[in-house]
Amino acid sequence: MRLRRPTVAVDVPAGFHATEARALQVALAGVLTAAERAATGTPVPVDAVLEPGRGEALVVVVRNRVVGFVPDAHAAGLRPQLAGAGRRARVVAPALVVRDGELLRVWVGPAPDGGVPAAPDGTDTLPEPQPTILGVPLRRDGA
């Protein structure tokens, strides 16, 4: 007999962009099917699972892949909801995977009227990772 974790919907009234999309592009592209990637201008509706991370961080997981983090401004309002749901609960929020220029991003919360706004400056602080094949860098810096 399999026991399923209870699913609890979290209330995200304002919505927000998950942070660190630049560093997590491989994971973001991996959550989309080939048909979803081909529809470049269409937002893809997904369920975002919010989980506690290290320290005070809240992690955004889509289709079993970490695709970003909850910004500090929104994390304070979501922490009590996660705590109230219980440790074993699967806490979900509606989300959209959208294209923002050359990047894929995750908008967590209800779809805003007039489309998803551009991500504010400072949303991504981690650098883009170097391209690798099986962990070997394709180019050497300084060579």
Side-chain angles (χ1 to χ4, degrees):
M1 179 166 130
R2 267 176 124 187
L3 297 177
R4 296 189 101 169
R5 293 174 26 177
T7 299
V8 177
V10 68
D11 183 31
V12 185
F16 57 86
H17 284 282
T19 62
E20 309 308 345
R22 184 168 305 286
L24 296 169
Q25 282 301 290
V26 173
L28 279 163
V31 301
L32 299 177
T33 65
E36 291 168 340
R37 279 191 301 272
T40 56
T42 307
V44 178
V46 294
D47 285 334
V49 178
L50 304 178
E51 297 179 350
R54 185 172 18 180
E56 294 292 313
L58 294 180
V59 179
V60 178
V61 178
V62 172
R63 297 178 181 167
N64 292 329
R65 292 184 188 224
V66 174
V67 294
F69 301 91
V70 176
D72 292 335
H74 295 275
L78 293 173
R79 278 190 200 99
Q81 294 183 59
L82 265 69
R87 194 178 63 137
R88 302 261 315 136
R90 181 176 181 263
V91 179
V92 298
L96 298 170
V97 177
V98 296
R99 186 157 294 282
D100 183 20
E102 79 271 359
L103 296 177
L104 289 170
R105 292 196 177 276
V106 176
W107 172 265
V108 180
D113 294 335
V116 175
D121 290 337
T123 301
D124 302 324
T125 58
L126 296 175
E128 183 176 353
Q130 281 189 335
T132 63
I133 294 178
L134 298 173
V136 177
L138 292 179
R139 60 177 186 249
R140 296 181 188 190
D141 292 336

